[in-house]
Amino acid sequence: MTGVGVALLGAVSMAAGIVLSKRWQRPPDVSQLSLTGWQLIFGGLLLLPLAAWSEGIPTTLEPQHLLGYGYLILPGGVLGYGLWFAGVQRLPAFSASLLGMLSPLTATVLGFLWMGESFGSLQWLGTLCIASALTCPLWVSLKRRSTQPSRHELTR
């Protein structure tokens, strides 16, 4: 039951983040990279006490740990979140909310293809549910756009 509560909290947090990112827009004199960096720093500082409490403070840091942190910071953090926030600012809120469902689907497919993970019927069912959840609203959105007149047609 705890997992369901945490998943719901994550969904609410993501929805709030998308809406607030759209409303508060990036200041014109701040680069996307700078904004993303500050958001990651403050988010990390916010989570630091919880991580220290639940996991403890590391006693040693070895080179492979630092390489792992570097990977998480650069491609996993700065690049990934930089692209995410740039997309959220350019896309309508509905379309941006669909991007969040791509994360578990992408992880599932990559795990299957590159890590050789095997799936049981429950995992395949979950993958199908996620793909359906992405496809149905996307299809409705595209259908709605195709029936609406274009800007050029409205100005005639």
Side-chain angles (χ1 to χ4, degrees):
M1 199 57 163
T2 303
V4 172
V6 171
L8 287 173
L9 179 63
V12 168
S13 297
M14 185 168 180
I18 290 171
V19 170
L20 293 175
S21 291
K22 301 284 297 168
R23 174 171 285 172
W24 292 338
Q25 295 293 313
R26 176 176 51 91
D29 58 334
V30 176
S31 72
Q32 185 65 48
L33 183 62
S34 178
L35 179 68
T36 302
W38 282 110
Q39 287 173 331
L40 290 173
I41 287 170
F42 283 116
L45 289 174
L46 185 69
L47 293 174
L48 187 61
L50 178 63
W53 173 75
S54 66
E55 298 291 326
I57 298 172
T59 55
T60 62
L61 283 177
E62 298 179 15
Q64 67 262 28
H65 298 143
L66 297 175
L67 285 173
Y69 284 132
Y71 171 77
L72 288 173
I73 290 168
L74 293 176
V78 174
L79 178 64
Y81 281 103
L83 291 171
W84 166 257
F85 287 117
V88 165
Q89 289 178 356
R90 287 179 176 80
L91 293 171
F94 174 77
S95 299
S97 69
L98 294 177
L99 293 176
M101 288 191 274
L102 287 175
S103 180
L105 186 60
T106 302
T108 301
V109 170
L110 290 176
F112 179 74
L113 293 176
W114 284 342
M115 302 299 290
E117 294 175 351
S118 60
F119 288 180
S121 56
L122 190 59
Q123 286 83 12
W124 282 115
L125 178 63
T127 302
L128 181 65
C129 288
I130 293 169
S132 299
L134 279 171
T135 306
C136 292
L138 189 59
W139 182 77
V140 169
S141 176
L142 291 173
K143 195 80 161 145
R144 191 176 336 149
R145 282 187 186 166
S146 68
T147 60
Q148 292 176 347
S150 69
R151 289 182 189 170
H152 179 69
E153 291 171 340
L154 289 174
T155 58
R156 287 185 184 179

